[in-house]
């Protein structure tokens, strides 16, 4: 049985703008995490940098994509 990923009103679960902002935030976080890991060889520091990069990226792209 195929699952329906749309809400009952026929609207998508996530809007296009939101999906793009979140995708760019994830890419920013991955980049920050990888660069931090390559510089320090510390997974906890890389995870913190990735989280901070994701948050900053989402806020930044939310502000400029309109």
């Amino acid at each position: 049985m195929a699952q329906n990923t749309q809400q009952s009103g026929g609207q998508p679960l996530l809007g296009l703008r939101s999906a793009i902002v979140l995708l760019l935030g994830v890419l920013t976080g991955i980049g920050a995490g990888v660069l931090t890991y390559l510089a320090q060889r510390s997974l906890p520091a890389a995870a913190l940098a990735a989280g901070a990069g994701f948050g900053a990226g989402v806020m930044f792209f939310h502000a400029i994509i309109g």
Side-chain angles (χ1 to χ4, degrees):
M1 180 188 319
Q3 291 182 339
N4 186 4
T5 59
Q6 294 184 346
Q7 297 174 350
S8 62
Q11 298 294 324
L13 184 62
L14 192 63
L16 180 62
R17 180 180 179 273
S18 298
I20 291 173
V21 167
L22 290 175
L23 175 66
L24 291 173
V26 167
L27 292 175
T28 303
I30 289 172
V34 167
L35 290 175
T36 302
Y37 180 76
L38 291 175
Q40 297 183 0
R41 299 286 183 207
S42 171
L43 279 177
L48 287 173
F54 171 77
V58 167
M59 289 182 358
F60 174 74
F61 291 115
H62 174 69
I64 66 167
I65 296 176

Coordinates of all heavy atoms in Angstrom, one line a residue:
M1 N 0.8 -1.2 0.0 CA 0.0 0.0 0.0 C 0.9 1.2 0.0 O 1.8 1.3 0.8 CB -0.9 0.0 1.2 CG -1.8 1.2 1.3 SD -2.8 1.5 2.8 CE -3.4 0.0 3.3
A2 N 0.6 2.1 -0.9 CA 1.4 3.4 -1.0 C 1.0 4.4 0.1 O -0.2 4.5 0.4 CB 1.3 4.0 -2.4
Q3 N 1.9 5.0 0.7 CA 1.6 6.0 1.7 C 1.4 7.4 1.0 O 2.1 7.7 0.1 CB 2.7 6.1 2.7 CG 2.8 4.9 3.6 CD 3.9 5.1 4.7 OE1 4.8 5.9 4.5 NE2 3.8 4.3 5.7
N4 N 0.5 8.2 1.5 CA 0.2 9.5 1.0 C 1.0 10.5 1.9 O 0.8 10.6 3.1 CB -1.3 9.8 1.1 CG -1.6 11.2 0.4 OD1 -0.7 11.8 -0.1 ND2 -2.8 11.5 0.5
T5 N 2.0 11.2 1.3 CA 2.8 12.1 2.1 C 2.2 13.5 2.1 O 2.9 14.4 2.6 CB 4.2 12.2 1.5 OG1 4.1 12.6 0.1 CG2 4.9 10.8 1.6
Q6 N 1.0 13.7 1.5 CA 0.4 15.0 1.5 C -0.7 15.1 2.6 O -1.3 14.1 2.9 CB -0.1 15.4 0.2 CG 0.9 15.5 -0.9 CD 0.4 15.9 -2.2 OE1 -0.8 15.9 -2.4 NE2 1.2 16.3 -3.1
Q7 N -1.0 16.3 3.0 CA -2.0 16.5 4.0 C -3.4 16.3 3.3 O -3.4 16.3 2.1 CB -1.9 17.9 4.6 CG -0.7 18.1 5.4 CD -0.5 19.5 5.9 OE1 -1.3 20.4 5.5 NE2 0.5 19.8 6.7
S8 N -4.4 16.2 4.1 CA -5.7 16.0 3.5 C -6.2 17.0 2.5 O -7.0 16.7 1.6 CB -6.8 15.8 4.6 OG -6.9 17.0 5.4
G9 N -5.7 18.3 2.6 CA -6.2 19.3 1.7 C -5.4 19.3 0.4 O -5.6 20.2 -0.4
G10 N -4.5 18.4 0.2 CA -3.8 18.3 -1.0 C -2.5 19.2 -1.0 O -1.9 19.4 -2.0
Q11 N -2.2 19.8 0.1 CA -1.1 20.7 0.3 C 0.2 19.9 0.6 O 0.1 18.9 1.3 CB -1.3 21.7 1.4 CG -2.4 22.6 1.1 CD -2.2 23.6 -0.1 OE1 -1.1 24.0 -0.3 NE2 -3.3 23.8 -0.8
P12 N 1.3 20.3 0.1 CA 2.6 19.5 0.4 C 2.9 19.7 1.9 O 2.5 20.6 2.5 CB 3.6 20.2 -0.5 CG 3.1 21.5 -0.9 CD 1.6 21.4 -0.8
L13 N 3.6 18.7 2.4 CA 4.0 18.7 3.8 C 4.9 19.9 4.2 O 4.8 20.5 5.2 CB 4.7 17.4 4.2 CG 5.1 17.2 5.6 CD1 3.8 17.1 6.5 CD2 5.8 15.9 5.7
L14 N 5.8 20.3 3.2 CA 6.7 21.4 3.4 C 6.7 22.2 2.2 O 6.8 21.7 1.1 CB 8.1 20.8 3.7 CG 9.2 21.7 4.2 CD1 8.8 22.2 5.6 CD2 10.5 20.9 4.3
G15 N 6.7 23.5 2.4 CA 6.7 24.4 1.2 C 8.1 24.5 0.6 O 9.1 24.1 1.1
L16 N 8.1 24.9 -0.7 CA 9.4 25.0 -1.4 C 10.4 25.9 -0.8 O 11.6 25.5 -0.7 CB 9.1 25.4 -2.9 CG 10.3 25.5 -3.8 CD1 10.9 24.2 -4.0 CD2 9.9 26.1 -5.1
R17 N 10.0 27.0 -0.3 CA 10.9 28.0 0.3 C 11.5 27.4 1.6 O 12.7 27.4 1.8 CB 10.2 29.3 0.6 CG 11.1 30.3 1.3 CD 10.3 31.6 1.6 NE 11.2 32.6 2.2 CZ 11.4 32.6 3.6 NH1 10.8 31.8 4.3 NH2 12.2 33.5 4.1
S18 N 10.7 26.7 2.4 CA 11.1 26.1 3.6 C 12.1 25.0 3.3 O 13.1 24.8 4.0 CB 10.0 25.6 4.4 OG 9.1 26.6 4.8
A19 N 11.8 24.2 2.3 CA 12.7 23.1 2.0 C 14.1 23.6 1.5 O 15.1 23.0 1.9 CB 12.0 22.2 0.9
I20 N 14.1 24.7 0.7 CA 15.3 25.2 0.3 C 16.1 25.8 1.4 O 17.3 25.6 1.5 CB 15.1 26.3 -0.9 CG1 14.6 25.6 -2.1 CG2 16.3 27.1 -1.1 CD1 14.1 26.5 -3.2
V21 N 15.5 26.5 2.3 CA 16.2 27.1 3.5 C 16.8 26.0 4.3 O 17.9 26.1 4.7 CB 15.2 28.0 4.3 CG1 15.8 28.4 5.6 CG2 14.9 29.3 3.5
L22 N 16.0 25.0 4.6 CA 16.5 23.9 5.4 C 17.6 23.1 4.7 O 18.6 22.7 5.4 CB 15.4 22.9 5.8 CG 14.4 23.5 6.8 CD1 13.2 22.5 7.0 CD2 15.1 23.8 8.1
L23 N 17.5 22.9 3.4 CA 18.6 22.2 2.7 C 19.9 23.0 2.7 O 20.9 22.5 2.9 CB 18.1 22.0 1.2 CG 19.2 21.4 0.3 CD1 19.5 20.0 0.7 CD2 18.7 21.4 -1.1
L24 N 19.8 24.3 2.5 CA 21.0 25.1 2.5 C 21.6 25.2 3.9 O 22.8 25.2 4.1 CB 20.7 26.5 2.0 CG 20.4 26.6 0.5 CD1 19.9 28.0 0.2 CD2 21.6 26.2 -0.3
G25 N 20.7 25.2 5.0 CA 21.2 25.1 6.3 C 21.9 23.8 6.6 O 23.0 23.8 7.3
V26 N 21.4 22.7 6.1 CA 22.1 21.4 6.3 C 23.4 21.4 5.6 O 24.4 20.9 6.1 CB 21.2 20.2 5.8 CG1 21.9 19.0 5.6 CG2 20.0 20.1 6.7
L27 N 23.5 21.9 4.4 CA 24.7 21.9 3.6 C 25.7 22.8 4.3 O 26.9 22.5 4.4 CB 24.5 22.4 2.2 CG 23.7 21.5 1.3 CD1 23.4 22.1 0.0 CD2 24.4 20.2 1.2
T28 N 25.3 23.9 4.9 CA 26.2 24.8 5.7 C 26.7 24.1 6.9 O 27.9 24.2 7.2 CB 25.5 26.1 6.1 OG1 25.0 26.8 4.9 CG2 26.4 27.0 6.8
G29 N 25.8 23.4 7.6 CA 26.3 22.7 8.8 C 27.2 21.5 8.5 O 28.2 21.3 9.2
I30 N 27.0 20.8 7.4 CA 27.9 19.8 7.0 C 29.3 20.4 6.6 O 30.3 19.8 7.0 CB 27.4 19.0 5.8 CG1 26.2 18.1 6.2 CG2 28.4 18.1 5.1 CD1 25.4 17.5 5.1
G31 N 29.3 21.5 5.9 CA 30.6 22.1 5.5 C 31.3 22.6 6.8 O 32.5 22.3 6.9
A32 N 30.6 23.2 7.7 CA 31.3 23.6 8.9 C 31.8 22.5 9.7 O 32.9 22.5 10.3 CB 30.3 24.5 9.8
G33 N 31.0 21.4 9.8 CA 31.5 20.2 10.6 C 32.7 19.5 10.0 O 33.6 19.2 10.7
V34 N 32.7 19.4 8.7 CA 33.8 18.7 8.0 C 35.1 19.6 8.1 O 36.1 19.1 8.4 CB 33.5 18.5 6.5 CG1 34.7 18.1 5.7 CG2 32.4 17.4 6.4
L35 N 34.9 20.9 7.9 CA 36.1 21.7 8.0 C 36.7 21.8 9.4 O 37.9 21.8 9.6 CB 35.8 23.2 7.5 CG 35.6 23.3 6.0 CD1 35.1 24.7 5.7 CD2 36.8 22.9 5.2
T36 N 35.8 21.8 10.4 CA 36.2 21.7 11.8 C 36.9 20.4 12.1 O 38.0 20.4 12.8 CB 35.1 22.0 12.8 OG1 34.5 23.2 12.4 CG2 35.5 22.0 14.2
Y37 N 36.4 19.3 11.6 CA 37.0 18.0 11.9 C 38.4 17.9 11.2 O 39.3 17.4 11.9 CB 36.1 16.9 11.4 CG 36.7 15.5 11.7 CD1 36.7 15.0 13.0 CD2 37.3 14.8 10.7 CE1 37.3 13.8 13.2 CE2 37.9 13.6 10.9 CZ 37.9 13.1 12.2 OH 38.5 11.9 12.5
L38 N 38.5 18.4 10.0 CA 39.8 18.4 9.4 C 40.8 19.2 10.1 O 42.0 18.9 10.0 CB 39.6 18.8 7.9 CG 38.8 17.8 7.0 CD1 38.7 18.4 5.6 CD2 39.5 16.5 6.9
A39 N 40.4 20.3 10.7 CA 41.3 21.2 11.4 C 41.7 20.7 12.7 O 42.9 20.8 13.1 CB 40.7 22.6 11.5
Q40 N 40.8 20.1 13.5 CA 41.0 19.8 14.9 C 41.0 18.3 15.2 O 41.4 17.9 16.3 CB 40.0 20.4 15.8 CG 40.1 21.9 15.7 CD 39.1 22.6 16.7 OE1 38.4 21.9 17.4 NE2 39.1 23.9 16.7
R41 N 40.5 17.4 14.3 CA 40.4 16.0 14.5 C 39.6 15.7 15.8 O 40.0 14.8 16.5 CB 41.8 15.3 14.5 CG 42.6 15.5 13.3 CD 42.0 14.6 12.2 NE 42.9 14.7 11.0 CZ 42.5 14.5 9.8 NH1 41.2 14.2 9.6 NH2 43.3 14.6 8.8
S42 N 38.6 16.4 16.0 CA 37.7 16.2 17.2 C 36.3 16.1 16.8 O 35.7 17.1 16.3 CB 37.9 17.4 18.2 OG 37.0 17.3 19.2
L43 N 35.7 15.0 17.0 CA 34.3 14.8 16.6 C 33.3 15.7 17.4 O 32.4 16.2 16.9 CB 33.8 13.3 16.7 CG 34.2 12.4 15.6 CD1 33.8 11.0 15.8 CD2 33.6 12.9 14.3
P44 N 33.5 15.8 18.8 CA 32.6 16.7 19.5 C 32.7 18.2 19.0 O 31.7 18.8 18.9 CB 33.1 16.6 21.0 CG 33.7 15.3 21.0 CD 34.4 15.1 19.7
A45 N 33.9 18.6 18.7 CA 34.0 20.0 18.2 C 33.4 20.1 16.9 O 32.7 21.1 16.6 CB 35.5 20.4 18.2
A46 N 33.5 19.1 16.0 CA 32.9 19.1 14.7 C 31.4 19.1 14.8 O 30.7 19.8 14.0 CB 33.4 18.0 13.9
A47 N 30.8 18.3 15.7 CA 29.4 18.3 15.9 C 28.8 19.6 16.4 O 27.8 20.1 15.9 CB 29.0 17.2 16.9
L48 N 29.5 20.3 17.3 CA 29.1 21.6 17.8 C 29.2 22.6 16.7 O 28.3 23.4 16.5 CB 30.0 22.0 19.0 CG 29.7 21.3 20.3 CD1 30.7 21.7 21.3 CD2 28.3 21.6 20.7
A49 N 30.2 22.6 15.9 CA 30.4 23.5 14.8 C 29.3 23.2 13.7 O 28.7 24.2 13.1 CB 31.7 23.4 14.1
A50 N 29.0 22.0 13.5 CA 27.9 21.7 12.5 C 26.6 22.2 13.0 O 25.8 22.7 12.2 CB 27.9 20.1 12.3
G51 N 26.3 22.0 14.2 CA 25.0 22.5 14.8 C 24.9 24.0 14.7 O 23.9 24.6 14.3
A52 N 26.0 24.7 15.1 CA 26.0 26.1 15.0 C 26.0 26.6 13.5 O 25.3 27.6 13.2 CB 27.3 26.7 15.6
G53 N 26.6 25.9 12.6 CA 26.6 26.3 11.2 C 25.2 26.1 10.7 O 24.7 26.9 9.9
F54 N 24.5 25.0 11.1 CA 23.1 24.8 10.6 C 22.2 25.9 11.1 O 21.4 26.5 10.3 CB 22.6 23.4 11.1 CG 21.1 23.3 10.9 CD1 20.7 22.9 9.6 CD2 20.2 23.4 11.9 CE1 19.3 22.7 9.4 CE2 18.9 23.2 11.7 CZ 18.4 22.9 10.4
G55 N 22.3 26.3 12.4 CA 21.4 27.3 12.9 C 21.7 28.7 12.3 O 20.8 29.4 11.9
A56 N 23.0 29.0 12.1 CA 23.3 30.3 11.5 C 22.9 30.3 10.0 O 22.4 31.3 9.5 CB 24.8 30.5 11.6
G57 N 23.1 29.1 9.3 CA 22.7 29.0 7.9 C 21.2 29.2 7.7 O 20.8 29.9 6.8
V58 N 20.4 28.6 8.6 CA 19.0 28.7 8.4 C 18.5 30.1 8.7 O 17.7 30.7 7.9 CB 18.3 27.7 9.4 CG1 16.8 28.1 9.5 CG2 18.4 26.3 8.9
M59 N 19.1 30.8 9.7 CA 18.7 32.1 10.0 C 19.1 33.1 8.8 O 18.4 33.9 8.4 CB 19.4 32.6 11.3 CG 18.7 32.0 12.5 SD 19.3 32.5 14.1 CE 20.6 33.6 13.8
F60 N 20.3 32.8 8.3 CA 20.8 33.7 7.2 C 20.0 33.5 5.9 O 19.5 34.5 5.3 CB 22.3 33.3 6.9 CG 22.9 34.0 5.7 CD1 23.2 35.4 5.8 CD2 23.1 33.4 4.5 CE1 23.7 36.1 4.7 CE2 23.6 34.0 3.4 CZ 23.9 35.4 3.5
F61 N 19.8 32.2 5.5 CA 19.0 32.0 4.3 C 17.5 32.4 4.4 O 16.9 32.8 3.5 CB 19.2 30.6 3.8 CG 20.6 30.3 3.3 CD1 21.4 29.4 4.0 CD2 21.1 31.0 2.3 CE1 22.7 29.2 3.6 CE2 22.4 30.7 1.8 CZ 23.2 29.8 2.5
H62 N 17.0 32.2 5.6 CA 15.6 32.7 5.9 C 15.5 34.2 5.7 O 14.5 34.7 5.1 CB 15.2 32.3 7.3 CG 13.9 32.9 7.7 ND1 12.7 32.4 7.1 CD2 13.5 33.8 8.6 CE1 11.7 33.1 7.7 NE2 12.2 34.0 8.5
A63 N 16.6 34.9 6.0 CA 16.5 36.4 5.9 C 16.7 36.8 4.5 O 16.1 37.8 4.1 CB 17.6 37.0 6.8
I64 N 17.5 36.1 3.7 CA 17.8 36.6 2.3 C 16.9 36.0 1.2 O 16.8 36.6 0.2 CB 19.3 36.4 1.9 CG1 19.6 34.9 1.8 CG2 20.2 37.1 2.9 CD1 21.0 34.7 1.1
I65 N 16.3 34.8 1.5 CA 15.4 34.3 0.5 C 14.0 34.7 0.8 O 13.4 34.3 1.8 CB 15.5 32.7 0.5 CG1 16.9 32.3 0.1 CG2 14.5 32.1 -0.5 CD1 17.1 30.8 0.2
G66 N 13.4 35.5 -0.1 CA 12.1 35.9 0.2 C 11.3 36.1 -1.0 O 10.4 36.3 -1.4

